[in-house]
Amino acid sequence: MNEDRLGRALLRAPVPDQEEAAERAWRVLSAAYAERDRTTPGRRRSLRLAWMAIAIGLLALLISPAGAAVRHWVRDAVDIGREPSSPALTSLPSPGQVLVDSPSGPWIVQEDGSKRRLGDYRESIFSPRGLFVAATTRHELLALDPQGEVRWSIARRGPVTHPSWNSPDGFRIAYLDDRSLRVIGGDGLRVIGGEGRGDGLLRQGVAEVEPAWRPGADHVLAFADPDGSVHAVAVDSDRELFDTGPAQVPVALAWSADGSRLLIARRSGVELVDAAGTPVKRVRAPAGTRISALAASPRGHRFALIVRSGGPTPRSALVLAGERGHSRRLFVGPGAFSGLAFSPDGRWLLLAWRSADQWVFLEPSGRQRIVAVSNISSQFSPGETGPTRFPRIAGWCCAAP
Amino acid sequence: MGLRRQIGGNEASIVRAAQNGSEDALATLFRSHWPMAHRAAYLVVRDEAAAEDIAQEAFLSAIRALGRFDRRRPFGPWLHRIVVNRAIDWSRARTLRREVSAMPEPAELPASAPEEKPYSDQLEAALANLAAESRAVIVLRHLLGYTPGEIARMLGLPRGTVNSRLRRALDRLAEELEESG
């Protein structure tokens, strides 16, 4: 083997997240160094004090929630009841707002933990900048402002489900009217560059999978057919860009933040295809498990997925994967995880752990903190005395306007 | 080849300045050594978060011991010894955990119509099939440029063991790369 070539290849081998890792490390190191430097009235004494300061810092790291999280990460699994959790959602760990679909309707949760119910709707989704919410009733699609005031609505024979708002211009909303895929202007009336119709049928007989808009101004929509084939269509010209061909019906579709990759999650694995529909990578679910949810990171080509094992004692895992490098389990627990979302800055993941009635916020990199919140169902169904349905995470969007 | 050849000869004065409280000097040391330390950790453990932790903890150890550091000695080898030994320990612990894991991790598959991958990607895949101890000697020899004798001292191994590990690892890499195209 050519050893010079080997050396060059080792130097060029991709190291994920390299620059951000360096920034994080420098912040930690400079803080530790400053701690050492603050104790310098006498050099010999300062050495002892610096030692003590760093030792205390490291001890604090080990016993603080952040340190606990690091240990959990190393252990790879956290069990119900063993992770100390907060009894109420008092804040979000990262800027932004979380949209939640509960049995009593959608709620917007602000960064300080305050929340507002928008009304009696079934499903909801944020507009690209979080200024509006598209919501559905059985036979209506509506646009609401963050106070819950209806800006426009359109009635359909229905049922109306799976709304999806395009980004970044917000000029299109796709939704399912029974099994028909329709697209409407984001202002409820106006379709820029379309055929002048306020609301148009794109395809009939599609699968019940939330369609996914490719980020960008060209209004490309990915959706699935009942035979499992996934199509990408330039909506304004109704031009089909690709069709993956029949396969298992997807459980979720998502585009990478730069729009260069479509992630297709099926029960048996996740496939990454490029903008022309050419497969780039496949991540297979292990035997005896199935994938139930997917979220794309707002940064890079990373994505998170929920994998669930069957049998008498089912377990679920939250897995972080990317186009390069290996998949990494972030969290494993008994029962079912029902949803996930990345924070707007991509640093945190919110995991809905239905079986534990908890939300778990995880920071996959950096300080690798973990924050669990209990009693989620009752917090989104105030006044209910009986068992309530666990709420669905509908999005984690931009900071409050 | 190797990091030591790339760093200027004034490292001793930079270390002295850092010992005397210069954050600029510390930043210079960090900028000089972080990329290779992080890369070395990643190539051994092949886990993004663990590599970051390992490199970061190695630097924290360096800061902790900065006052006692002998400036006549180069900083890099001392840092690399910590990084690579921690990376090996982490990989061994992970192997043990995998044996008792309740749920395997998703398997990576090539896409059905893969494009030809660059050599560095093929190498990365081939490295994944080596034991962590073998990856460590490859990284120390061919990324960081240490001699087998230096590697033996860093890892606390007989020199003959290092040589045979290197030979076997290179043979295995050559086989893997040949198979992958």
Side-chain angles (χ1 to χ4, degrees):
Chain A
M1 130 160 279
N2 183 323
E3 297 184 11
D4 283 342
R5 193 179 180 202
L6 170 61
R8 286 195 300 273
L10 288 170
L11 268 174
R12 281 200 298 263
V15 177
D17 210 17
Q18 201 167 12
E19 288 180 9
E20 289 172 359
E23 283 173 22
R24 287 189 292 267
W26 174 246
R27 282 198 296 272
V28 171
L29 294 173
S30 55
Y33 186 72
E35 194 66 33
R36 165 191 180 276
D37 206 35
R38 269 200 289 276
T39 57
T40 51
R43 292 232 183 268
R44 291 200 178 278
R45 196 165 69 98
S46 79
L47 274 179
R48 284 200 303 275
L49 290 174
W51 256 92
M52 284 172 64
I54 290 169
I56 289 167
L58 289 173
L59 183 63
L61 251 178
L62 283 171
I63 62 176
S64 70
V70 171
R71 290 201 303 277
H72 286 312
W73 234 267
V74 172
R75 206 180 60 216
D76 261 354
V78 182
D79 297 328
I80 287 177
R82 292 178 61 179
E83 180 61 25
S85 63
S86 165
L89 181 64
T90 54
S91 65
L92 303 176
S94 181
Q97 313 163 80
V98 174
L99 185 62
V100 181
D101 287 340
S102 79
S104 62
W107 294 75
I108 292 181
V109 183
Q110 303 291 349
E111 192 181 341
D112 63 2
S114 62
K115 52 187 187 290
R116 176 189 290 269
R117 192 174 83 93
L118 298 180
D120 191 14
Y121 307 109
R122 293 157 70 103
E123 284 179 280
S124 61
I125 189 163
F126 273 125
S127 67
R129 286 182 291 161
L131 300 175
F132 297 96
V133 169
T136 65
T137 63
R138 182 161 175 80
H139 296 289
E140 260 187 320
L141 175 71
L142 309 95
L144 316 169
D145 67 18
Q147 282 68 47
E149 188 178 329
V150 176
R151 293 304 184 97
W152 56 260
S153 70
I154 185 166
R156 289 282 141 219
R157 197 174 295 274
V160 176
T161 58
H162 299 95
S164 175
W165 208 320
N166 88 300
S167 173
D169 59 35
F171 288 157
R172 301 285 184 277
I173 300 173
Y175 65 98
L176 299 190
D177 170 16
D178 196 5
R179 292 299 183 90
S180 297
L181 177 60
R182 304 186 72 89
V183 176
I184 187 170
D187 58 4
L189 296 171
R190 194 162 47 107
V191 175
I192 307 286
E195 297 171 6
R197 292 178 299 172
D199 177 79
L201 174 69
L202 189 68
R203 291 289 186 278
Q204 283 184 313
V206 300
E208 283 193 73
V209 178
E210 185 178 320
W213 289 101
R214 186 167 80 188
D218 48 357
H219 304 151
V220 170
L221 184 67
F223 61 92
D225 272 347
D227 67 359
S229 58
V230 174
H231 305 257
V233 170
V235 168
D236 297 344
S237 59
D238 199 7
R239 183 169 60 91
E240 180 149 307
L241 304 182
F242 65 78
D243 168 3
T244 61
Q248 265 180 356
V249 176
V251 294
L253 302 170
W255 290 90
S256 62
D258 63 2
S260 68
R261 300 285 184 266
L262 175 65
L263 313 172
I264 304 168
R266 307 182 196 274
R267 288 164 65 103
S268 58
V270 176
E271 190 171 20
L272 276 75
V273 303
D274 66 16
T278 307
V280 175
K281 180 172 179 172
R282 207 160 56 214
V283 177
R284 189 187 60 195
T289 69
R290 62 185 169 84
I291 290 169
S292 62
L294 167 82
S297 169
R299 296 187 305 174
H301 290 175
R302 289 198 306 174
F303 56 93
L305 50 114
I306 293 174
V307 185
R308 189 176 181 199
S309 69
T313 54
R315 292 167 69 82
S316 296
L318 173 65
V319 175
L320 188 65
E323 188 170 331
R324 292 179 177 277
H326 276 247
S327 306
R328 180 159 62 102
R329 277 179 310 167
L330 299 181
F331 194 86
V332 178
F337 300 164
S338 56
L340 74 167
F342 275 95
S343 63
D345 62 7
R347 294 181 183 278
W348 286 83
L349 269 164
L350 167 55
L351 174 69
W353 188 357
R354 190 177 67 212
S355 302
D357 196 16
Q358 284 190 359
W359 276 2
V360 184
F361 295 93
L362 304 110
E363 190 183 26
S365 299
R367 294 173 62 191
Q368 300 188 339
R369 288 167 291 180
I370 183 167
V371 180
V373 182
S374 300
N375 309 312
I376 290 299
S377 299
S378 61
Q379 292 181 63
F380 291 100
S381 298
E384 287 285 336
T385 51
T388 55
R389 188 161 52 86
F390 191 68
R392 184 182 80 94
I393 300 167
W396 190 349
C397 185
C398 356
Chain B
M1 178 169 56
L3 176 72
R4 289 171 299 164
R5 319 292 191 264
Q6 299 165 16
I7 294 179
N10 62 344
E11 189 171 84
S13 60
I14 295 170
V15 170
R16 182 169 57 240
Q19 285 172 326
N20 290 333
S22 164
E23 188 172 320
D24 287 346
L26 183 77
T28 303
L29 278 178
F30 178 79
R31 279 198 303 272
S32 302
H33 291 283
W34 170 268
M36 279 297 187
H38 185 214
R39 174 172 294 275
Y42 179 74
L43 288 171
V44 176
V45 299
R46 302 180 47 72
D47 182 291
E48 183 182 337
E52 185 178 335
D53 283 350
I54 287 164
Q56 197 177 104
E57 286 169 16
F59 266 96
L60 275 171
S61 298
I63 290 176
R64 196 171 51 197
L66 200 57
R68 292 176 290 123
F69 187 73
D70 180 355
R71 292 193 295 268
R72 291 167 301 182
R73 294 168 52 203
F75 184 78
W78 177 73
L79 181 72
H80 298 149
R81 181 178 59 78
I82 300 174
V83 167
V84 172
N85 278 300
R86 285 184 185 209
I88 292 171
D89 289 346
W90 186 92
S91 301
R92 285 175 180 156
R94 184 180 173 94
T95 304
L96 287 174
R97 280 199 306 279
R98 271 192 180 151
E99 286 170 2
V100 297
S101 172
M103 184 180 290
E105 301 201 24
E108 315 289 339
L109 289 181
S112 54
E115 292 174 9
E116 190 173 338
K117 292 189 168 177
Y119 182 76
S120 56
D121 284 6
Q122 292 175 26
L123 174 68
E124 201 192 348
L127 275 174
N129 292 326
L130 299 182
E133 291 84 351
S134 300
R135 289 199 294 269
V137 292
I138 289 284
V139 164
L140 286 167
R141 178 77 187 101
H142 295 286
L143 175 72
L144 300 173
Y146 294 107
T147 66
E150 289 170 326
I151 296 171
R153 282 193 293 280
M154 292 169 104
L155 300 182
L157 293 171
R159 185 173 171 159
T161 303
V162 170
N163 278 328
S164 59
R165 243 179 225 180
L166 268 173
R167 191 68 266 153
R168 279 200 303 270
L170 287 172
D171 288 347
R172 182 83 193 275
L173 278 181
E175 282 170 24
E176 296 270 347
L177 290 170
E178 208 166 284
E179 280 173 19
S180 65

